[in-house]
Amino acid sequence: EVVDVRPLTADSGRQNTVDGQPSTVKYEVTYQKSTSLFKNKQTVRANNVIFSAGVMGTMKLLLNLRDVKKSLPNLSGRLGTMVRTNSEGLLGSVARKSDINYSEGVSISSIYNFDEMTRIEPVRRS
């Protein structure tokens, strides 16, 4: 579990090797084992860091690095807006008559926005 990402300044003098060639390290990444009782932090250095925003706590991490730890203060102020998650509730339905077959036809028939937080999309599984 990553707990901090800090850009290193050019004058830090830290060197790394990429494909056998010297390269200036740009980031320091601090992480800890998420399943361990003791959260011993370890640090690695990297030329590049790729975030997969919105997945497995990445959005929470990025907001924390920008707003709390201030280690990545230049992240966009739009970070966290317009995020769509897959926190869906799947419900089943059955027909009252045995001659109705819901497994055929249009997959997504409509979208109903109940309120600001609730969106209902009837779908079928084929």
Side-chain angles (χ1 to χ4, degrees):
E1 173 186 15
V2 173
V3 295
D4 200 4
V5 178
R6 295 186 173 279
L8 298 172
T9 59
D11 60 344
S12 66
R14 298 175 196 228
Q15 294 288 314
N16 193 13
T17 304
V18 176
D19 296 330
Q21 301 297 317
S23 175
T24 304
V25 176
K26 298 176 189 167
Y27 297 94
E28 190 170 79
V29 179
T30 304
Y31 68 96
Q32 64 191 17
K33 288 185 178 182
S34 62
T35 57
S36 177
L37 183 60
F38 301 102
K39 304 293 183 185
N40 296 328
K41 293 183 175 134
Q42 298 182 35
T43 302
V44 294
R45 294 180 182 90
N47 291 326
N48 298 297
V49 177
I50 298 172
F51 293 94
S52 181
V55 178
M56 299 297 288
T58 305
M59 186 63 62
K60 180 180 177 183
L61 170 67
L62 289 172
L63 290 168
N64 188 43
L65 297 181
R66 183 190 70 191
D67 301 335
V68 178
K69 292 188 176 188
K70 310 262 190 235
S71 53
L72 294 178
N74 295 327
L75 290 176
S76 171
R78 301 240 334 124
L79 179 68
T81 61
M82 300 297 292
V83 174
R84 181 170 177 169
T85 67
N86 285 333
S87 58
E88 299 150 339
L90 301 176
L91 306 173
S93 63
V94 294
R96 292 184 183 171
K97 297 180 181 180
S98 62
D99 62 335
I100 297 174
N101 184 353
Y102 288 124
S103 68
E104 296 175 359
V106 178
S107 289
I108 299 177
S109 59
S110 63
I111 297 172
Y112 174 65
N113 294 310
F114 179 75
D115 60 26
E116 190 177 294
M117 301 298 293
T118 307
R119 180 180 197 157
I120 300 170
E121 298 180 41
V123 298
R124 70 168 168 86
R125 181 179 167 201
S126 53

